[in-house]
Amino acid sequence: ETVITMYTDVSFLYSDNEATYALAYVVTEDGMEGDTEEWNQQNTYSGNTALDTSDWLYPWAQKRTSVSGVVYDDVAVAAIGIGKGIEGSLSPVIVEGTPQHHSTTYDVDSNELVQDKSHLKVAVLLFNTDTGEIVNAEQSRILSASEVSGIENLVPFALACSECPRACGHTI
């Protein structure tokens, strides 16, 4: 059985007694590929001669509209708490610089989409539950049991006071 334990420490740059934040997690996989038509990349650049001067896009202009053999990275294979976050994952009382701790688990073996467990990563998302906005995120590769794991010190970016959701004059 393969279970991922995700540990997250969140520190805020301000204090609040009624903060509205929650965490969510997305498990992604790199190196995914398949040989059925469902795995083909739809290529809207096919035949576009305006791309002849683009080193990056020119090869795509030369390919068919449906391209096989593509290897995909950062494919979401599981989502935990997507929407507005996991209820209760963070306390509404936040103290500037004091980390809040959260952990949750995910059973990888129950997911038929996963092709190679060694290519998994986890992203943690910090949601504002009032707006549904993701205000910060961090991604980490999944470490083996012998390695120290976890995403630490997720700190929300600084918002200008005019962008503060409460318009109360402080900087988040």
Side-chain angles (χ1 to χ4, degrees):
E1 180 179 10
T2 304
V3 176
I4 300 168
T5 301
M6 297 163 279
Y7 302 98
T8 307
D9 292 338
V10 182
S11 296
F12 291 86
L13 301 175
Y14 72 104
S15 297
D16 193 339
N17 290 324
E18 297 177 19
T20 55
Y21 295 104
L23 299 173
Y25 299 87
V26 178
V27 180
T28 64
E29 184 174 351
D30 289 341
M32 294 187 79
E33 58 186 317
D35 55 10
T36 61
E37 189 171 323
E38 293 85 18
W39 285 94
N40 289 359
Q41 173 69 47
Q42 297 308 303
N43 178 20
T44 59
Y45 298 123
S46 180
N48 187 339
T49 57
L51 301 175
D52 289 351
T53 59
S54 170
D55 291 340
W56 185 76
L57 294 175
Y58 177 75
W60 286 97
Q62 305 308 304
K63 295 179 188 273
R64 296 174 167 234
T65 57
S66 182
V67 181
S68 61
V70 177
V71 178
Y72 300 93
D73 290 334
D74 297 312
V75 177
V77 295
I80 303 143
I82 292 301
K84 285 202 167 190
I86 300 168
E87 187 174 337
S89 56
L90 294 175
S91 169
V93 177
I94 58 176
V95 178
E96 179 180 354
T98 301
Q100 290 196 36
H101 310 287
H102 180 261
S103 66
T104 191
T105 59
Y106 178 71
D107 180 5
V108 176
D109 292 334
S110 67
N111 189 329
E112 296 177 7
L113 297 174
V114 174
Q115 294 179 352
D116 186 341
K117 296 174 192 175
S118 69
H119 292 172
L120 296 177
K121 296 182 282 188
V122 174
V124 59
L125 312 175
L126 179 64
F127 275 93
N128 176 321
T129 59
D130 283 342
T131 65
E133 178 184 16
I134 299 169
V135 296
N136 206 343
E138 181 67 46
Q139 186 176 52
S140 176
R141 67 185 180 91
I142 296 174
L143 305 173
S144 69
S146 64
E147 298 175 285
V148 177
S149 66
I151 297 173
E152 298 179 11
N153 299 324
L154 178 63
V155 180
F157 61 89
L159 296 174
C161 291
S162 63
E163 297 173 356
C164 175
R166 290 187 227 7
C168 57
H170 68 272
T171 300
I172 296 177

